[in-house]
Every structure is written in C-alpha cells, then in structure tokens.
Amino acid sequence: MAGKIISFVKAHLKIVVAVLLVVVLAGVGVGVWIVRLQQARTSYESSVSGVEQSVSGFNKRLASARVVEALGVSVEQVDDADSVSALKRVAVKRSDKPALVKGGLNVVAFDEARASNERTSARVVKASARLAGLAERVLASRTAREVRVAREGLDAKLSAARGLLSSSDGRVADASTRDGLSQAVDKAATVLADSKSEVRVLSEQSGLLDEAMSVVNASVEKKQADDAAAAAAAAAAARAAANSRSVATNRATSRVATPNRATTNRATTNNSSSNNNSQSYQEWLAASIAESERNAYSCDPTKYCPVG
C-alpha cells in the first residue's frame, strides 16, 4: 500500500507541489488581508476620534476669554473694521460629524472614511486657528485705536496747556501755580514722544495736565478778583476825597454867604465909605475860601471829615 502511495506521489509530484503551494499562498494572502483590514480599521477609528477632538477644540476656543472679549468689540471701537466682520463670520459653533463605516470587513470603505475624516479634522483645525488669529487681530486693532485716540487727546491737551502757560504770565495770584503747569507740560511732552507709551500712561498725563491747568485758571481768577477789589477801593477813596473837597467848599461858601451881625452893622453904618469896605470884603472872602480848602486837604479823604 505504502509503495503504491509513493508511486502515485512520484507520478503526480508536480501536481501535489502546486496544490500545496496554492494552499500556502492562500494562507499568506488571508493573513495579509487580515493585517491590512486591521490597519484600515485602526486608522479609521483614529480619524473618527480626530474629528470629534477638533470640533471640541474649536468650540472650547470659541468660548475662551480672549475670543469672547473680541466678540464684544464693535466696529466703532477699532480701526480695522474688517477684522470684526471676519471674526463674526468664523465664530460659529461647529457640529461637524465624522464619516462612519457600516460594514466591518471592507478595507476600501475604511480607507475612504478615514480620508474624509482627516479632511474634516484639518478644516476644523484651520478654522480654530483662524478664529484665534482674528480674535487677536480685533483686540490689537482696538488697542491701536485706543492708543491713537489717547495720543491725539494728550497732544491737544498739551497744546492748550502751553497756550495757558504763555497767556497766564504775570496774570496769576500765585506764580508757583505756573511752575507746576510747566512741569506737567514737560512730563506730558516726554510721554507723548515715547512711541511705546500705553493708553494708561497717556491718559494719566492728560489728567495731570487738567489738574495743573485748573490750578492756574483758579489763580488767574483770584488775581482778577483781587485787582477788581483794589480798583474798587481806589475808586471809593477817590470819591471820598472828592466828597471831602465838596464839603469844604460848601462850608466856606456858607460862611461867606452869612457874615456875622457885627460885620453887617459895620457895613450899614459906614455906608459912606462903601468903596473901601467893598475892597476889604473881597479880601476877606478870598482868605476864608483859602483857609477852608487847606482844612479840607488836611483831612484824611478815606475817613469822615466833620463839618465846622
């Protein structure tokens, strides 16, 4: 029996070898296919997770403090209005879904789903990066505008302060107030010349200029009030002096207009020598007026001068 088998094998050796080779190759092919299928499934599952993670990452960034702050900035607050519009277009919650494979033994299906998911993940990751970039662009534009406005405001305030410093020369009650304003002007000019000055520093210097100018303006007003009071006092003194002179003149005139009775009798009795008496009367009148004026000028014009 054994001999017959050996004889058969020898006779059909090529066929046996071919069959065995087919069996071996089939086994190898199945093994390779199994390995390839496992690789495809693993890559697919990783791509599904990638989509989910990228979408989650985008939505977390959308809710981050920087993005939320940027979304609260209006067009009027920035110099770059396009950045605000672009941010609002991108800042939309994402709900991208991964491609799924229904059958579990299709290598091609796994590969196609993986490729689709990788494209989706890349698109979402790119959108997330753009979202972050636009948020920073909006915030930077807002800061740039704030700095520009603050610099323009400080520049205008500085010009006003320099004008006040010039116009207030010799017109203040306290000269030290102008020294303070001069120091504030110098400090503000230094800050303005520094291109790196922040909004806080620029605004602070603007406030210091306001304070210094208020002090100088108050000193100018005080001097104006003091000068007005002094002028009023001088006018009052002049009026008092004029009144005193008027009173003295009236008193002298009153004396001349009402000579004493003895003088009147003498003038009546000696009517025959009226020419001589007339000359004496004129001399007496002139002497009386002169004496009254001397008395008037000897009185302090700022005080009450009693009438004879």
Side-chain angles (χ1 to χ4, degrees):
M1 185 68 178
K4 290 182 178 181
I5 294 174
I6 293 173
S7 297
F8 178 82
V9 170
K10 288 181 178 179
H12 299 84
L13 179 62
K14 292 182 178 180
I15 296 174
V16 172
V17 171
V19 170
L20 292 175
L21 182 61
V22 169
V23 171
V24 171
L25 291 175
V28 171
V30 170
V32 171
W33 176 82
I34 292 174
V35 171
R36 178 72 182 84
L37 179 63
Q38 185 61 40
Q39 291 175 342
R41 181 190 295 275
T42 300
S43 297
Y44 158 75
E45 291 174 348
S46 177
S47 70
V48 171
S49 177
V51 171
E52 294 171 346
Q53 290 177 2
S54 62
V55 171
S56 175
F58 179 93
N59 291 332
K60 285 182 179 178
R61 177 162 285 173
L62 182 61
S64 66
R66 293 290 285 178
V67 173
V68 170
E69 182 183 0
L71 286 171
V73 176
S74 66
V75 174
E76 292 75 15
Q77 293 177 279
V78 298
D79 287 333
D80 181 8
D82 291 341
S83 64
V84 175
S85 301
L87 176 63
K88 293 186 183 302
R89 288 195 299 270
V90 174
V92 179
K93 187 176 181 179
R94 303 199 66 112
S95 58
D96 304 66
K97 302 296 182 181
L100 301 177
V101 175
K102 295 180 180 180
L105 299 177
N106 191 331
V107 174
V108 174
F110 282 136
D111 286 345
E112 290 177 348
R114 172 191 54 76
S116 175
N117 291 337
E118 288 176 350
R119 289 193 297 271
T120 299
S121 294
R123 186 169 58 251
V124 175
V125 169
K126 183 178 180 179
S128 181
R130 178 166 171 74
L131 175 66
L134 285 171
E136 294 303 321
R137 178 179 162 188
V138 168
L139 296 176
S141 181
R142 182 184 65 176
T143 299
R145 185 180 188 280
E146 289 174 346
V147 170
R148 176 177 61 78
V149 171
R151 293 185 73 85
E152 290 174 353
L154 180 57
D155 187 44
K157 195 67 63 66
L158 187 58
S159 296
R162 284 170 171 160
L164 178 59
L165 191 62
S166 176
S167 64
S168 63
D169 188 14
R171 298 177 56 199
V172 292
D174 181 4
S176 66
T177 59
R178 296 183 70 256
D179 295 337
L181 178 58
S182 178
Q183 293 172 4
V185 165
D186 292 341
K187 179 62 176 177
T190 300
V191 169
L192 194 60
D194 186 359
S195 61
K196 296 181 180 180
S197 294
E198 299 178 351
V199 174
R200 178 186 59 80
V201 177
L202 294 166
S203 300
E204 182 181 89
Q205 290 303 313
S206 183
L208 292 175
L209 281 178
D210 276 333
E211 293 177 5
M213 286 192 291
S214 295
V215 172
V216 171
N217 282 326
S219 187
V220 170
E221 292 175 359
K222 185 177 186 305
K223 187 175 189 308
Q224 290 174 345
D226 292 345
D227 290 347
R239 287 194 299 271
N243 290 338
S244 297
R245 288 193 296 271
S246 177
V247 168
T249 301
N250 290 339
R251 186 173 60 183
T253 303
S254 176
R255 288 178 178 174
V256 172
T258 56
N260 58 41
R261 185 171 299 174
T263 303
T264 303
N265 291 336
R266 285 196 301 271
T268 302
T269 303
N270 299 317
N271 186 43
S272 60
S273 57
S274 59
N275 291 334
N276 292 333
N277 289 339
S278 177
Q279 182 178 0
S280 298
Y281 175 79
Q282 294 295 332
E283 293 174 353
W284 175 83
L285 176 60
S288 296
I289 292 175
E291 181 181 0
S292 296
E293 290 180 348
R294 285 195 300 274
N295 291 335
Y297 286 115
S298 65
C299 179
D300 187 350
T302 63
K303 300 179 180 179
Y304 174 70
C305 296
V307 178

